[in-house]
């Protein structure tokens, strides 16, 4: 049986208290729904003696709110919204259907009721060589991410390439979301496009004493044609082998006026596909869907970081992009 290390649990009653605790306890970690951090603690992936539980912040951080801000209308999602809640919320279903779809496909029913949006956006990266017991990892000599000096995915690799496996991230990236972060130095808003880093050991710009409190999606997103797709081995309780999301603005004449495509579960950072500007003004049709598939395949490089054959993932990617783009266009 895997057991938890000795930990002190702190239960702040407000964001301010939580941030103060994070700043005063070195190596403290945040516990939201606990569906990811608890197994990782049992596997000895973190060195920490203090957990800061967010449950007491629910009245502050569990909301879906529409509002008109300086930069126009947006839909604001508190970090403690559960995945289950977002999959059923009427505003999310109406304005951000691709997000509701992604949430419906995360883990299983119990995990969706416990798991939160904040925990999903801050989810640790995954790799077949790290999401294992301490004993299993010790037999292999550990790896760069924890306790070792080598990467087993990229020989001589100097950087961890474990996969970002959170299903809300590609959708919120495609929809142009930003996140609000609170820490002892104040508050900052970071476009999600700048939130993730190419480093599987710590793949976000969050400092250890900061809390992600909200994601905001600009509401023109509600008028976008949007779709999410998740490739997984089993249709239940499986992490993505590839996940992707597309958002398109299409004129009444059927021409693309804006588009974003995000592909993830391949590397540490969800990949917003670059250099799509020349496709603006093109008809939203099969040709566009196929071209997006080709560009995604060119820019993405599946690795042996998860237990699904990278050659298969590379071949299937343009097919999945084409189908998802056509689904978005038809929506
Ligand atoms: C069997 C199984 C299957 C799963 N399948 C999927 C899947 O298909 N897709 C998927 O996306 N996920 C999956 N998950 C992972 C997980 O259940 C979800 O990602 C969930 O949304 C995580 O949220 P949480 O609140 O439980 O996070 P926690 O476990 O509480 O936290 C996750 C990480 O985020 C940090 N954190 C949490 N909240 C904040 C915050 N507000 N600010 C700063 N840091 C924070 C924690 O410190 C921790 O490092 C699965 C998990 C299991 C056990
Ligand atoms: S990608 Fe390499 S360093 Fe990162 S968890 Fe996997 S084996 Fe370890």
């Amino acid at each position: 049986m895997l057991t938890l290390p000795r930990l002190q649990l702190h239960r702040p009653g407000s964001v301010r208290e939580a941030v103060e605790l994070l700043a005063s306890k070195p190596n403290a970690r945040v516990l939201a729904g606990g569906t990811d951090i608890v197994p990782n603690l049992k596997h000895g992936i973190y060195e920490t003696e203090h957990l800061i539980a967010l449950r007491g912040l629910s009245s502050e951080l569990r909301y879906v709110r529409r509002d008109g801000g300086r930069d126009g209308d947006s839909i604001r999602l508190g970090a403690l919204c559960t995945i289950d809640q977002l999959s059923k919320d009427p505003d999310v279903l109406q304005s951000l259907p691709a997000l509701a779809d992604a949430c419906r496909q995360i883990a299983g029913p119990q995990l969706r009721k416990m798991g939160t949006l904040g925990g999903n956006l801050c989810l640790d990266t995954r790799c077949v060589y790290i999401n294992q017991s301490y004993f299993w990892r010790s037999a292999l000599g550990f790896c760069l991410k924890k306790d070792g000096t080598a990467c087993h995915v990229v020989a001589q690799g100097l950087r961890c390439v474990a996969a970002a496996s959170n299903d809300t991230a590609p959708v919120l990236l495609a929809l142009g979301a930003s996140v609000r972060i609170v820490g002892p130095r104040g508050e900052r808003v970071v476009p999600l496009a700048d939130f993730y880093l190419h480093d599987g050991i710590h793949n976000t710009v969050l400092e250890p004493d900061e809390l992600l409190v909200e994601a905001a999606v600009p509401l023109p997103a509600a008028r976008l044609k949007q779709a999410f797709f998740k490739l997984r081995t089993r249709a239940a309780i499986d992490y993505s082998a590839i996940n992707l999301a597309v958002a398109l603005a299409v004129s009444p004449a059927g021409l693309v006026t804006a588009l974003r495509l995000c592909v993830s579960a391949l590397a540490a950072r969800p990949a917003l596909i670059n250099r799509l500007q020349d496709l603006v003004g093109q008809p939203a049709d099969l040709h566009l869907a196929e071209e997006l598939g080709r560009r995604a395949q060119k820019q993405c490089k599946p690795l042996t970081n998860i237990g699904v054959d990278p050659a298969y993932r590379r071949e299937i990617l343009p097919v999945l992009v084409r189908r998802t783009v056509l689904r978005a266009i038809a929506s």
Side-chain angles (χ1 to χ4, degrees), residues 127 129-130 143-145 150-153 160-162:
C127 172
Y129 299 103
I130 193 76
C143 75
L144 279 178
K145 185 160 163 107
C151 175
H152 307 298
V153 172
C160 170
V161 290

Side-chain angles (χ1 to χ4, degrees), residues 66 79 99 111 136 151 164 207 231 261 267 270 283 298 303 316 326:
R66 273 171 185 266
L99 179 63
L111 292 158
W136 191 102
C151 175
E207 297 290 341
L231 176 74
L261 169 64
K298 232 180 196 170
L303 298 163
I316 197 78
L326 289 176

Side-chain angles (χ1 to χ4, degrees), residues 33-315:
T35 60
D36 180 56
I37 195 170
V38 170
N40 287 351
L41 283 164
K42 288 182 174 177
H43 286 163
I45 295 176
Y46 307 131
E47 302 291 339
T48 183
E49 291 94 51
H50 299 277
L51 278 187
I52 315 296
L54 301 187
R55 169 89 34 115
L57 281 56
S58 291
S59 56
E60 234 181 307
L61 294 186
R62 191 171 174 185
Y63 56 82
V64 174
R65 224 173 259 158
R66 273 171 185 266
D67 74 30
R70 224 175 356 155
D71 309 319
D73 289 353
S74 60
I75 185 159
R76 298 181 180 278
L77 312 169
L80 287 185
C81 287
T82 66
I83 298 299
D84 180 65
Q85 175 189 357
L86 294 178
S87 71
K88 296 171 180 162
D89 182 273
D91 260 345
V92 175
L93 283 164
Q94 191 198 352
S95 306
L96 315 173
L99 179 63
D101 189 24
C103 288
R104 273 193 299 276
Q105 297 183 58
I106 289 176
Q110 296 94 333
L111 292 158
R112 288 195 290 272
K113 285 208 185 289
M114 289 299 292
T116 64
L117 177 66
N120 193 261
L121 287 172
C122 300
L123 189 73
D124 205 348
T125 54
R126 298 185 61 80
C127 172
V128 275
Y129 299 103
I130 193 76
N131 296 107
Q132 306 285 355
S133 68
Y134 185 87
F135 175 75
W136 191 102
R137 291 188 291 117
S138 70
L140 198 69
F142 301 107
C143 75
L144 279 178
K145 185 160 163 107
K146 182 74 173 57
D147 301 320
T149 52
C151 175
H152 307 298
V153 172
V154 180
Q156 272 100 49
L158 298 176
R159 201 165 53 186
C160 170
V161 290
S165 304
N166 32 9
D167 289 318
T168 63
V171 185
L172 290 173
L173 276 157
L175 295 175
S178 58
V179 288
R180 190 155 61 85
I181 295 169
V182 176
R185 295 160 298 283
E187 187 176 307
R188 57 190 178 125
V189 173
V190 179
L192 207 53
D194 300 330
F195 182 68
Y196 292 104
L197 303 172
H198 291 282
D199 178 0
I201 295 179
H202 183 66
N203 79 330
T204 74
V205 299
L206 263 189
E207 297 290 341
D209 55 4
E210 288 182 318
L211 206 59
L212 187 155
V213 293
E214 180 185 88
V217 187
L219 261 185
R223 292 190 292 277
L224 296 178
K225 292 178 175 290
Q226 47 184 277
F228 168 81
F229 185 84
K230 170 169 177 167
L231 176 74
R232 53 184 163 172
T233 308
R234 295 163 301 185
I237 314 196
D238 244 345
Y239 284 94
S240 292
I242 297 177
N243 58 19
L244 62 103
V246 64
L248 300 135
V250 179
S251 72
L255 303 178
V256 173
T257 57
L259 83 163
R260 276 200 207 94
L261 169 64
C262 184
V263 180
S264 192
L266 302 177
R269 187 176 194 225
L272 266 172
I273 304 305
N274 299 319
R275 299 184 293 279
L276 301 181
Q277 208 44 40
D278 60 306
L279 298 178
V280 170
Q282 303 285 318
D285 60 7
L286 176 63
H287 176 75
L288 175 87
E290 287 177 340
E291 183 56 24
L292 283 169
R294 274 190 288 275
R295 293 194 189 189
Q297 192 183 38
K298 232 180 196 170
Q299 292 182 34
C300 297
K301 190 169 178 291
L303 298 163
T304 53
N305 49 6
I306 64 163
V308 180
D309 180 24
Y312 167 69
R313 291 201 284 164
R314 185 173 158 69
E315 286 308 306

